[in-house]
Amino acid sequence: MRALRHQETSVLDATTTLFTGAALRTVDPHTDGAEAFLVHGNRFGAVGTVEECRAAAARLGRTAEEVDLGGTVVVPGFVDPHAHPLMYGQMMSWVDCGPDKAADIPGIVALLRAAADSLPPGRPVRGYGYEHRNLAERRHPTKEELDQVSTDRDVYLMNASGHGGVVNSATLARHGVTRDTPDPEGGTFFRDADGELTGEVSDAACNILTGVGGVKIGRHGPNFHLGDEPEEHLRQLRAAQERFLAGGVTTIGDCQVTRREFDTYLRLADGGELRTRVGMYLLSHLLDHVIDTGMHGAFGNARLSFTGIKFYADGTLGGWTAYFPDGYVGDPCRTGQLYHEPEAYRELIARAHAVGLQTATHAQSPDAIEMVLDAVEAAQERHPRPDARHRIEHCGLPTPEQIKRMHQLGIHPVNQTQHYYNWGEGVTEAIGTPGERFNPLGEFLEAQVPVTLSSDAPVAEPKPLEAIQAAVTRITRRGHRLGDTSLRIPAADALAAHTLGGARTLGREHELGSITPGKLADFTVLGADPLAVDPGSIAAIDVLHTWVDGALEHSTTATSTEGQQ
């Protein structure tokens, strides 16, 4: 992987601070168990005993300011390598229709109608977070039910998976979608037994939601790139960034970047407001532009960088659009879909691989995962690259044989354990007993396949401690334990998966992911030790401080400017 350039703090301007009084979980076997660490400028200058750190400061010609962390626990800054920050920030202004807010469809309609009454005329009404299996009716709402919200403005209710949802009749009419409109490649306009539109849309069919002049991505993914004014996008990204920092996250991989996200990141960075690190994966509809402009590897600075290309193989398990050609146990008429035919997808991966790009492909079902493995294997045979680090996003249900192939091919699966924490029962309901293996992290460890955790925010909240707890216990929000003990992983491995593992998937393990001398000084201060508490209590641990580049960016005990270095 090509190393990223980074901006150094001037030696003359650098401050030197010695942190003591905390238990350190450094995710580095050479420094774990140390009692103190020194931050010089924006890097860890030393990790060890207090005296060793003072001596390191003296060698720099400095007398370090000392900060006593008061019996807390310090871990590396969490790395969330698969999330959608702008989408998350945008949805923070939508209507929350999740299970904590609405237990049934009338409850959702009431929430959306109240929002419509408070909005200016013509403004779209947007809700999110429903999961049809969590509703009393155990089905998706219909366009007729959303017509109760409004008949003269767009109403869109996004499914919790982010891969689709339900729209009202006005939305379909506005965009010319009728019962005779063919389904787009990679998406579906759902119909009832009589062939009438139900209002449910999935994956590539979501393109209609962006309206005229919006970002159009065709068959390259679910389209959540809805337009707002540029200043509103900045506000949304600022708000999302604060939530990531509150969870202890210091580095984010944005796994679906279009011109909307790219422009917003650049403007935020130009204004000096990018407080987390962001690695951008441009969506595959931009592959030709990336290749033509010579973006043939990772580049950028320590805060904002281009990392690779995001692809989609199939849909989502939560929305029952992942590809199961024999149908779902819960609904044999549904098979989900592939975004690309295998040969077309293989050629896309071959083109990206040949010029040196890292690829990250969303794939959930065994058939979709097999398509990714075949494509990467073929690309490597044509153009061998020893450390390509191609990724499989979510990688929900790989077979044991596929896991062995991942090891052989050097593929990094990137999992989201909060998915099964929030709705793991729904996977077994959808596909039967094999769903108990959803995200088989223990099998990855056994096969020496890298384990990486992420949130997929806004599909789940950016709360790494919740993800770590789910990985260790495999207990869902409803109290069901998913699968047997072989699928769980120890807390130390789960912590590493959300820190150093995430850094590796982004190609940045040389400067992020552990508390190691010379690495960038990103760390998170916790109220308890995730490796020592009862596993079922990990998610309840308080995130007290989040530090990026040796500067305090979030605190529950001080203002964000107090104590900044």
Side-chain angles (χ1 to χ4, degrees), residues 249-330:
V249 175
T250 57
T251 299
I252 305 166
D254 187 323
C255 257
Q256 187 158 323
V257 172
T258 69
R259 59 178 172 82
R260 181 187 81 146
E261 288 76 17
F262 199 104
D263 174 68
T264 307
Y265 281 128
L266 288 177
R267 289 188 294 119
L268 200 67
D270 285 346
E273 296 184 84
L274 193 58
R275 298 165 56 209
T276 59
R277 308 188 193 282
V278 176
M280 298 181 290
Y281 285 83
L282 301 188
L283 190 57
S284 57
H285 75 298
L286 297 171
L287 179 61
D288 288 341
H289 299 286
V290 169
I291 293 174
D292 290 346
T293 54
M295 298 165 63
H296 296 170
F299 70 89
N301 60 38
R303 286 294 172 111
L304 184 62
S305 58
F306 164 68
T307 308
I309 303 291
K310 168 71 176 295
F311 296 84
Y312 280 84
D314 68 346
T316 173
L317 286 165
W320 293 22
T321 60
Y323 183 58
F324 290 91
D326 295 328
Y328 282 77
V329 170

Side-chain angles (χ1 to χ4, degrees), residues 110-436:
L111 288 171
L112 295 176
R113 185 183 292 147
D117 291 343
S118 68
L119 290 172
R123 182 79 59 84
V125 180
R126 296 168 179 168
Y128 73 95
Y130 89 95
E131 171 59 59
H132 67 280
R133 286 175 296 275
N134 289 335
L135 297 174
E137 297 86 355
R138 301 185 67 77
R139 63 171 174 82
H140 296 272
T142 65
K143 69 179 189 300
E144 288 80 14
E145 286 164 327
L146 294 194
D147 289 346
Q148 298 172 33
V149 177
S150 178
T151 58
D152 60 1
R153 68 170 98 195
D154 288 357
V155 179
Y156 173 42
L157 174 63
M158 180 184 282
N159 183 272
S161 69
H163 279 244
V166 184
V167 298
N168 64 341
S169 299
T171 303
L172 295 170
R174 189 184 309 277
H175 300 292
V177 179
T178 71
R179 62 175 290 157
D180 299 320
T181 301
D183 289 337
E185 292 183 287
T188 305
F189 296 115
F190 286 88
R191 295 165 170 84
D192 62 21
D194 297 323
E196 293 294 337
L197 294 167
T198 67
E200 185 187 351
V201 296
S202 74
D203 294 283
C206 299
N207 241 17
I208 67 166
L209 300 169
T210 63
V212 177
V215 176
K216 299 296 184 183
I217 61 176
R219 62 187 296 177
H220 290 270
N223 199 332
F224 50 73
H225 306 276
L226 282 65
D228 280 315
E229 291 299 317
E231 286 304 312
E232 176 62 8
H233 280 323
L234 280 175
R235 187 200 65 77
Q236 292 162 353
L237 193 53
R238 290 188 196 103
Q241 185 174 235
E242 187 61 36
R243 290 280 187 92
F244 280 93
L245 289 166
V249 175
T250 57
T251 299
I252 305 166
D254 187 323
C255 257
Q256 187 158 323
V257 172
T258 69
R259 59 178 172 82
R260 181 187 81 146
E261 288 76 17
F262 199 104
D263 174 68
T264 307
Y265 281 128
L266 288 177
R267 289 188 294 119
L268 200 67
D270 285 346
E273 296 184 84
L274 193 58
R275 298 165 56 209
T276 59
R277 308 188 193 282
V278 176
M280 298 181 290
Y281 285 83
L282 301 188
L283 190 57
S284 57
H285 75 298
L286 297 171
L287 179 61
D288 288 341
H289 299 286
V290 169
I291 293 174
D292 290 346
T293 54
M295 298 165 63
H296 296 170
F299 70 89
N301 60 38
R303 286 294 172 111
L304 184 62
S305 58
F306 164 68
T307 308
I309 303 291
K310 168 71 176 295
F311 296 84
Y312 280 84
D314 68 346
T316 173
L317 286 165
W320 293 22
T321 60
Y323 183 58
F324 290 91
D326 295 328
Y328 282 77
V329 170
D331 185 351
C333 294
R334 287 202 183 207
T335 61
Q337 70 270 321
L338 294 174
Y339 272 90
H340 308 278
E341 290 301 316
E343 185 57 42
Y345 171 79
R346 189 179 299 121
E347 185 55 34
L348 288 170
I349 295 298
R351 292 176 59 216
H353 175 86
V355 298
L357 292 167
Q358 183 193 32
T359 66
T361 301
H362 170 120
Q364 288 279 27
S365 76
D367 289 81
I369 292 168
E370 188 78 5
M371 188 170 86
V372 179
L373 296 174
D374 289 346
V376 170
E377 185 173 58
Q380 286 282 27
E381 288 174 353
R382 290 167 62 180
H383 298 282
R385 284 171 52 198
D387 192 18
R389 296 193 202 181
H390 295 300
R391 299 170 36 161
I392 299 181
E393 308 306 301
H394 313 305
C395 199
L397 292 164
T399 67
E401 181 57 38
Q402 288 172 338
I403 293 172
K404 293 177 184 177
R405 289 184 69 192
M406 288 180 213
H407 172 66
Q408 294 164 357
L409 292 168
I411 286 176
H412 287 238
V414 179
N415 296 105
Q416 298 77 30
T417 53
Q418 288 162 286
H419 285 194
Y420 62 67
Y421 173 70
N422 286 321
W423 39 265
E425 296 89 348
V427 179
T428 57
E429 191 175 316
I431 66 167
T433 304
E436 293 282 325

